[in-house]
Amino acid sequence: MKIESDFNDIDALGDDHIGSSSETPLRADAFKLSKNDKIDIIKDDVKHILETLGLDLSDDSLKGTPNRVAKMFVNEIFGGLDPDKKPSASTFDNKYKYGEMLVEKNITVYSTCEHHLLPIVGRAHVAYISNGTVVGLSKMNRIVDYFSKRPQVQERLTIQIVKELQNVLNTEDVACVIDAKHLCVNSRGIRDIESSTVTSEFGGKFKEKETRREFLDYIKLDTQF
Ligand SMILES: [Zn+2]
């Protein structure tokens, strides 16, 4: 009976996509197994799922799927769980004394909804105001990519990107807006193919109306290249 009510609770969370914390809920033993051990275990699990669905895994087209999916989970789409893959924290002195806002817009986001394990696809727009330290532009893309490659909730992803940049740049003045489509909404459930979800996190000066407005005006710029 207890188990049944727990399952009902889990199901009630279902399509509501509630995030519980700004930290990815990892277990203490998350990195005890090697990557190869994880791939071996997940391979068997995927095989079990497909066989349970009634598929014949001796078919040439399906026979490599469990191994392919297991490698993809561990090395690619959930590779950002691995702290070793976190982009290095190299920063530079702000030699130009550029004290205005720097905006990196339209950073591609490929993530995975942790409630349905379906893709989240969208764009992140990230900004900061330097207090003497700057990062290479591609660092912002790499940070977005690293935190995207986890089972995610879009709100948490937005906060994780801001917190990491605040850390690296040693300033509170960081902001991020993400506009993304969730395939769990677009392709199943309510099947709304047009809707997208916008989340934002504004730190430090970006909490002020004027600074926030400037950032939002920049990301509205529809530059064509
Ligand atoms: Zn979902």
Side-chain angles (χ1 to χ4, degrees):
M1 281 296 117
K2 177 77 180 76
I3 290 171
E4 199 174 88
S5 77
D6 279 355
F7 272 119
N8 285 339
D9 288 349
I10 290 165
D11 213 35
L13 181 70
D15 283 351
D16 284 344
H17 293 88
I18 297 160
S20 52
S21 143
S22 68
E23 298 289 324
T24 298
L26 279 170
R27 296 192 328 194
D29 62 355
F31 304 105
K32 254 187 168 167
L33 291 170
S34 73
K35 279 190 183 166
N36 285 339
D37 288 345
K38 287 182 182 180
I39 289 170
D40 273 347
I41 293 168
I42 295 171
K43 184 169 76 183
D44 287 344
D45 294 337
V46 173
K47 186 167 175 265
H48 187 216
I49 291 170
L50 296 176
E51 280 174 349
T52 306
L53 288 169
L55 291 160
D56 176 5
L57 291 201
S58 68
D59 186 274
D60 273 348
S61 171
L62 284 172
K63 120 177 130 190
T65 301
N67 190 45
R68 206 175 293 120
V69 171
K71 276 163 71 177
M72 178 184 74
F73 272 17
V74 174
N75 294 330
E76 295 175 285
I77 66 172
F78 301 139
L81 290 170
D82 181 354
D84 289 345
K85 286 202 178 166
K86 188 157 141 177
S88 67
S90 54
T91 52
F92 310 94
D93 286 339
N94 181 4
K95 290 218 177 78
Y96 314 107
K97 302 285 168 230
Y98 180 77
E100 298 298 318
M101 184 183 303
L102 189 145
V103 182
E104 181 83 356
K105 39 180 241 177
N106 292 318
I107 300 172
T108 306
V109 171
Y110 281 114
S111 191
T112 305
C113 154
E114 72 182 21
H115 300 126
H116 297 94
L117 298 186
L118 283 173
I120 300 170
V121 183
R123 300 282 189 181
H125 313 287
V126 181
Y128 70 91
I129 301 166
S130 171
N131 74 349
T133 304
V134 294
V135 283
L137 295 179
S138 67
K139 174 68 65 67
M140 293 157 86
N141 301 58
R142 279 200 285 268
I143 287 172
V144 169
D145 196 52
Y146 171 70
F147 287 103
S148 294
K149 288 195 161 63
R150 295 174 173 200
Q152 271 295 10
V153 176
Q154 189 176 322
E155 294 89 326
R156 185 200 295 135
L157 174 60
T158 313
I159 293 168
Q160 286 179 333
I161 292 165
V162 168
K163 280 191 165 174
E164 177 63 15
L165 275 165
Q166 285 176 329
N167 224 358
V168 168
L169 290 160
N170 195 27
T171 175
E172 289 293 304
D173 304 336
V174 177
C176 176
V177 170
I178 298 180
D179 185 0
K181 283 181 174 289
H182 292 236
L183 262 68
C184 57
V185 175
N186 301 143
S187 74
R188 54 158 294 288
I190 195 105
R191 281 180 182 243
D192 182 343
I193 56 162
E194 292 299 327
S195 66
S196 68
T197 304
V198 180
T199 47
S200 60
E201 176 74 4
F202 300 105
K205 288 186 189 140
F206 288 93
K207 288 187 197 294
E208 293 163 21
K209 218 170 161 190
E210 235 169 78
T211 312
R212 181 186 302 201
R213 171 62 31 216
E214 188 186 340
F215 171 44
L216 296 176
D217 283 345
Y218 280 133
I219 66 179
K220 254 193 309 201
L221 280 181
D222 193 17
T223 317
Q224 304 283 336
F225 296 98

